[in-house]
Amino acid sequence: MEISNKKKKLSRQSSSFRLRSPSLNALRLHRIFDLFDKNNDGVITIEELSQALTRLGLDADYSDLESTVESYIKPDQTGLRFDDFAALHKTLDESFFGCDDGEDNNRSPESDLEEAFNVFDEDGDGFISALELQKVLKKLGLPEAREIEQVEKMIVSVDSNHDGRVDFFEFKNMMQTVLVPSS
């Protein structure tokens, strides 16, 4: 009974990792790949992957990481190309978060957006401030996070009521304009 409850809790927590929109998933995965590929050569080495995981607070033993990833690296390559990275991601997603989509099928797109919004709204006040956005951008290693002025411009670009922060309605509108419908 306890194991079943843990699995349900894990699958609920994982819904933000597995969004239903294939086009959004592909875009998200490309962005992650680009973040990990520090020298922009189209290949993620084990060193780059290790550094990215460390920046995200997910320190992994290098030899464990190497043994997990090396089977996805083609013999003539020095690291993971995007297709290899996508295959690794799919395997890890299935291994850690399971394939039980029954619960996710009952979820509304709005609840997925609420979960995404809550990632940014660290203090839970119902708004995303420039400082909260900056923290998330820093965790992702994005250069935009370096200057608060850049982050504030990002907020202003979606802040339709001009209160200096993004509420869920504004976040939802922004997400609906950037999401490409899946075919």
Side-chain angles (χ1 to χ4, degrees):
M1 178 78 174
E2 188 175 315
I3 292 173
S4 174
N5 287 338
K6 283 183 182 177
K7 181 167 175 112
K8 282 183 183 177
K9 184 178 179 185
L10 184 60
S11 70
R12 259 186 256 120
Q13 291 172 340
S14 69
S15 63
S16 61
F17 291 98
R18 241 187 355 230
L19 301 172
R20 282 183 296 254
S21 170
S23 57
L24 181 58
N25 275 332
L27 177 63
R28 175 184 55 95
L29 202 55
H30 271 285
R31 286 184 177 162
I32 293 169
F33 181 87
D34 292 342
L35 286 172
F36 287 9
D37 180 17
K38 277 303 192 192
N39 63 357
N40 298 313
D41 65 353
V43 174
I44 298 174
T45 63
I46 295 171
E47 291 82 15
E48 287 172 321
L49 185 58
S50 177
Q51 289 169 2
L53 293 173
T54 299
R55 281 193 312 273
L56 292 170
L58 303 170
D59 293 321
D61 180 80
Y62 189 87
S63 60
D64 289 342
L65 185 61
E66 186 175 37
S67 65
T68 301
V69 173
E70 68 185 3
S71 64
Y72 291 89
I73 299 174
K74 294 190 175 54
D76 58 334
Q77 299 295 322
T78 59
L80 298 167
R81 298 225 172 260
F82 179 75
D83 291 340
D84 307 325
F85 181 71
L88 172 63
H89 176 267
K90 183 176 188 228
T91 301
L92 292 174
D93 189 37
E94 290 169 357
S95 297
F96 288 106
F97 302 113
C99 295
D100 181 16
D101 290 334
E103 197 168 342
D104 282 347
N105 287 340
N106 296 329
R107 293 177 55 86
S108 70
E110 184 125 341
S111 64
D112 286 340
L113 283 174
E114 287 171 5
E115 275 195 53
F117 180 83
N118 290 335
V119 168
F120 293 92
D121 181 20
E122 287 189 333
D123 64 8
D125 68 353
F127 299 97
I128 301 170
S129 69
L131 290 175
E132 287 172 319
L133 178 57
Q134 185 179 37
K135 285 180 188 177
V136 173
L137 295 175
K138 278 182 182 175
K139 287 178 185 175
L140 294 172
L142 295 173
E144 292 89 345
R146 290 187 198 125
E147 297 179 29
I148 192 67
E149 293 81 16
Q150 285 295 106
V151 178
E152 288 169 347
K153 285 180 185 177
M154 295 169 87
I155 293 286
V156 167
S157 71
V158 297
D159 180 18
S160 59
N161 65 3
H162 309 292
D163 66 353
R165 52 195 184 165
V166 176
D167 61 30
F168 180 71
F169 177 75
E170 293 164 332
F171 180 80
K172 180 178 167 184
N173 285 339
M174 182 227 17
M175 292 301 286
Q176 288 173 337
T177 62
V178 298
L179 295 181
V180 180
S182 58
S183 45

